[in-house]
């Protein structure tokens, strides 16, 4: 058995006299621990007492390459056409370039099925949230089975690339603009003292019981604020129809508050991004695209497994 000091320089087998079966078993343990949300550095530390050797993060990373076939399978698997809400967004990650680190975008699709099941459906690495990149991403979902026959609404943060792609791939679905992102943009045009009262008036719009009441609430906001903060008002008015799409979905009254809160923003997918950031922040910069794909797959796999037996029952209660 190698000493901890020898283990730091490890670059081959975990045990000098280990059988192939023992080696494979240890490698499987490392991959399973990695899939359960532990970083490469923490995997090494967690297994040190068991293996009586110190594994480097690079060693663990090398062993987790055996996940690559599972990543490919995830990207190619057939999709059931049972999604009623589709959330689209992207998260930025740093990857090493030839001379310096560069930013890449991971496009993500998150869905809620007709059975209330939450699922991180797919991801794709892109250079930007451009229309061609977003269209290619959605076309791939369509080809794999997500044709949108049950799709009621697609929710985005306002990305022009995704908006254009939705019109091409899922034109039958309603489009909802995220209220959080829209208010963030609107309040950039306000004086600091005006932000809180403006948000209070905006809250009356998205908390309205009906579409008609929401339009009336916006008109009241516009009447009061159009001279004080005309650009902020225009920011809301420009996309008002898409901001109020969530009020046009027929929902049983007892589930109004819960479901509408879920579908009027992209918060539901942003919560998953928090886990991505938690896992990726300590790594700083990834070596290559494959290492990004493995960590994203690991996170998605763990969250999807966690949600498997926890459907959102309210989403099965539509009229």
């Amino acid at each position: 058995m190698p000493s901890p000091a020898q283990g730091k320089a490890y670059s081959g087998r975990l045990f000098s006299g280990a059988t192939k079966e023992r080696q494979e078993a240890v490698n499987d343990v490392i991959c399973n621990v990695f899939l359960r949300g532990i970083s490469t550095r923490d995997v090494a530390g967690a297994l040190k007492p068991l293996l009586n050797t110190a594994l480097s993060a690079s060693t663990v990373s090398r062993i987790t390459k055996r996940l690559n076939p599972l990543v490919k399978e995830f990207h190619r698997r057939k999709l059931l056409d049972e999604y009623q809400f589709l959330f689209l967004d992207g998260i930025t990650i740093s990857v090493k370039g030839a001379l310096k680190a560069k930013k890449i975008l991971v496009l993500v699709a998150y869905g809620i099925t007709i059975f209330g099941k939450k699922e991180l459906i797919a991801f794709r690495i892109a250079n930007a949230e451009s229309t061609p990149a977003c269209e290619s991403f959605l076309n791939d979902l369509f080809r794999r089975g997500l044709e949108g026959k049950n799709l009621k609404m697609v929710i985005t943060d306002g990305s022009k690339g995704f908006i254009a792609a939705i019109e091409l791939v899922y034109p039958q679905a309603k489009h909802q603009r995220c209220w959080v992102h829209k208010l963030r943009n609107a309040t950039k045009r306000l004086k600091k003292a005006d932000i809180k009262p403006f948000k209070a008036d905006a809250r009356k719009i998205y908390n309205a019981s009906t579409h008609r009441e929401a339009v009336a609430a916006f008109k009241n906001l516009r009447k009061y604020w159009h001279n004080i903060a005309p650009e902020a008002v225009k920011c809301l008015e420009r996309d008002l129809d898409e901001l109020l799409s969530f009020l046009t979905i027929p929902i049983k009254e007892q589930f109004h508050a819960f479901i509408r809160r879920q579908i009027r923003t992209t918060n539901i997918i942003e919560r998953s991004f928090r886990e991505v950031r938690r896992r990726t922040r300590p790594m700083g910069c990834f070596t290559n695209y494959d290492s990004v794909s493995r960590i994203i797959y690991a996170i998605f796999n763990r969250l999807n497994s966690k949600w498997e037996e926890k459907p959102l029952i309210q989403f099965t209660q539509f009229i």
Side-chain angles (χ1 to χ4, degrees), residues 4-275:
Q6 290 171 321
K8 290 179 182 178
Y10 168 80
S11 61
R13 299 179 65 83
L14 289 173
F15 303 96
S16 57
T19 63
K20 183 177 180 181
E21 290 77 13
R22 174 69 166 167
Q23 178 73 37
E24 289 299 308
V26 172
N27 289 349
D28 285 344
V29 168
I30 290 172
C31 287
N32 284 329
V33 172
F34 178 77
L35 284 173
R36 279 163 175 75
I38 302 179
S39 70
T40 52
R41 289 179 177 82
D42 290 340
V43 168
L47 294 181
K48 183 178 177 180
L50 176 65
L51 303 177
N52 195 28
T53 185
L55 303 177
S56 67
S58 60
T59 295
V60 176
S61 181
R62 186 159 54 250
I63 292 171
T64 58
K65 286 182 181 179
R66 61 170 43 206
L67 295 174
N68 287 351
L70 294 180
V71 177
K72 289 182 180 178
E73 183 181 333
F74 178 80
H75 287 312
R76 295 172 180 171
R77 79 194 191 289
K78 291 292 184 181
L79 300 173
L80 297 176
D81 195 19
E82 60 186 23
Y83 300 95
Q84 57 177 328
F85 294 102
L86 187 63
F87 299 78
L88 303 173
D89 207 343
I91 185 169
T92 302
I93 290 177
S94 294
V95 177
K96 289 181 180 178
L99 299 176
K100 61 180 181 179
K102 62 178 180 179
K103 299 288 187 182
I104 62 167
L105 193 68
V106 180
L107 304 178
V108 177
Y110 177 120
I112 299 177
T113 72
I114 55 176
F115 306 107
K117 178 184 173 184
K118 299 184 293 180
E119 185 182 352
L120 285 156
I121 305 167
F123 68 91
R124 173 178 289 194
I125 294 173
N127 290 322
E129 238 175 49
S130 63
T131 298
C134 294
E135 184 182 349
S136 177
F137 182 51
L138 295 190
N139 273 327
D140 182 60
L141 298 182
F142 189 95
R143 283 192 298 268
R144 287 160 56 200
L146 206 172
E147 297 181 2
K149 292 176 183 176
N150 290 297
L151 194 58
K152 295 181 174 69
M153 181 171 286
V154 183
I155 302 93
T156 77
D157 63 359
S159 159
K160 292 181 180 179
F162 269 133
I163 291 172
I166 292 165
E167 292 176 355
L168 291 169
V169 183
Y170 299 117
Q172 79 285 3
K174 294 181 179 181
H175 174 224
Q176 172 66 36
R177 291 284 294 265
C178 174
W179 267 95
V180 171
H181 285 84
K182 175 54 71 173
L183 284 177
R184 193 177 296 157
N185 289 335
T187 53
K188 288 178 182 177
R189 298 160 169 82
L190 293 170
K191 295 178 181 178
K192 188 174 181 179
D194 291 334
I195 292 177
K196 189 173 181 179
F198 185 90
K199 281 186 173 181
D201 285 344
R203 196 175 300 120
K204 296 173 184 176
I205 303 172
Y206 61 72
N207 281 338
S209 298
T210 66
H211 187 275
R212 178 176 292 182
E213 288 178 12
V215 172
F218 170 75
K219 288 179 179 178
N220 288 335
L221 178 147
R222 183 175 59 185
K223 183 178 180 180
Y224 179 83
W225 289 98
H226 78 281
N227 288 327
I228 302 170
E231 293 304 315
V233 174
K234 287 179 184 177
C235 185
L236 289 185
E237 186 170 11
R238 183 164 53 244
D239 300 301
L240 188 63
D241 286 339
E242 288 74 24
L243 286 167
L244 300 183
S245 288
F246 76 103
L247 290 170
T248 65
I249 299 292
I251 305 169
K252 286 186 177 179
E253 189 172 351
Q254 63 265 43
F255 300 116
H256 273 183
F258 178 83
I259 294 178
R260 287 175 172 177
R261 187 166 60 249
Q262 300 296 319
I263 65 175
R264 71 186 178 216
T265 73
T266 56
N267 285 356
I268 200 166
I269 196 170
E270 290 286 348
R271 286 193 285 271
S272 300
F273 287 169
R274 287 181 206 149
E275 179 64 10

Side-chain angles (χ1 to χ4, degrees), residues 274-290:
R274 287 181 206 149
E275 179 64 10
V276 173
R277 294 185 184 99
R278 184 188 72 80
R279 289 286 302 274
T280 59
R281 191 177 293 113
M283 302 173 189
C285 185
F286 284 83
T287 304
N288 51 47
Y289 287 6
D290 282 346

